Amino acid sequence: MLLRRAPLVLLSLLLLSPAACGPSQAAEAPRWSAPTSASPTPPPPRPAPTSTAEARTRVTAAMLDLDATFHPETAAYTDENTDAWKLISLCRDGLPSDRKRTAYRERVWDGDTVWIRQYVVGYLKVPGRKLADELRSVLKTCKQYEVPNDGRTSTIVQPSPPPVPNGPDVITFCERLKGESTRHQCTLFMTRGNFVLEVDASAEDGDLAAGAALLTKIAPLATAALEKIA
């Protein structure tokens, strides 16, 4: 009788053991959680400037400092001014809303193989995205034009993939400038709040791929500079 009952006892223990250890194992099992985003959402734009002086101060603070670690030829910028330059407008004389600009500043790095121009514009009452929409409208129809006072013909080209992903506040494109020689120049146009930051870049004797790569390298620095003021 004892021999016959032993298997029944063992069977009872085996039936009970999953229920006994199940809750303990469930408590120890790690819980799944959504992965943390690698790209934090930028803070909302700051309020628009309320005076010309404030706009000028914020524009100045957005100028890039490209030192020798960025490229040997950008150890020092070659020119900086506050002349009333216009934002790039391609086939048009100017973007309609750009005439309302309040503050503006240009910085140029002109080396043997690298040319970079940064231009920052601030507006008191015009959102930067309005300028982006106007430029985007121009790009829909403007494919080629004569560069004013330059003697060259510009053909718009779109590298694939683009140097920087485009979006509501970001536009990138390149131009093939043909005159006595042919060179390529790439442009990054960014907006945030009431400010616009434009970077034009050319590299390696106007090579298209080199210009696009240079713009890609500048983009995160330009983004940080714009977020600092707007």
Side-chain angles (χ1 to χ4, degrees):
M1 293 291 294
L2 292 175
L3 291 176
R4 292 170 62 91
R5 291 176 61 185
L8 294 175
V9 173
L10 290 173
L11 180 60
S12 298
L13 292 174
L14 289 172
L15 292 172
L16 290 172
S17 59
C21 66
S24 174
Q25 289 177 342
E28 295 175 1
R31 293 183 177 181
W32 181 88
S33 60
T36 303
S37 175
S39 302
T41 303
R46 292 168 52 186
T50 57
S51 67
T52 299
E54 181 188 354
R56 288 175 177 169
T57 298
R58 288 164 69 172
V59 161
T60 301
M63 304 313 291
L64 297 173
D65 291 315
L66 304 179
D67 57 18
T69 59
F70 178 83
H71 192 285
E73 294 179 26
T74 57
Y77 54 87
T78 57
D79 183 46
E80 182 168 350
N81 62 75
T82 55
D83 291 337
W85 297 101
K86 296 178 181 179
L87 286 170
I88 195 164
S89 56
L90 306 175
C91 292
R92 297 185 181 180
D93 178 60
L95 299 177
S97 297
D98 193 29
R99 59 185 176 82
K100 299 179 181 179
R101 58 188 181 275
T102 300
Y104 31 84
R105 197 172 191 89
E106 178 192 54
R107 183 174 285 184
V108 177
W109 294 261
D110 191 0
D112 292 334
T113 63
V114 169
W115 179 83
I116 302 168
R117 171 185 180 256
Q118 180 197 12
Y119 186 43
V120 183
V121 190
Y123 305 85
L124 292 181
K125 298 181 179 180
V126 182
R129 185 172 286 188
K130 183 174 178 61
L131 280 300
D133 289 342
E134 291 172 358
L135 176 58
R136 197 173 287 111
S137 177
V138 170
L139 285 167
K140 287 181 180 179
T141 57
C142 181
K143 304 303 178 184
Q144 189 177 86
Y145 68 101
E146 298 296 323
V147 182
N149 305 316
D150 188 87
R152 293 183 294 179
T153 299
S154 171
T155 301
I156 311 302
V157 294
Q158 297 285 0
S160 182
V164 181
N166 289 289
D169 297 303
V170 179
I171 300 172
T172 58
F173 60 91
C174 298
E175 297 178 72
R176 182 182 298 112
L177 299 166
K178 187 173 182 181
E180 294 182 359
S181 61
T182 300
R183 299 176 60 86
H184 291 88
Q185 170 185 305
C186 294
T187 294
L188 169 65
F189 190 100
M190 306 176 65
T191 77
R192 182 172 167 82
N194 282 34
F195 292 85
V196 176
L197 188 154
E198 177 186 331
V199 176
D200 306 312
S202 180
E204 303 300 334
D205 294 323
D207 178 72
L208 177 59
L214 182 60
L215 205 64
T216 300
K217 187 177 179 181
I218 294 173
L221 304 177
T223 300
L226 194 56
E227 288 181 357
K228 183 171 64 175
I229 68 162

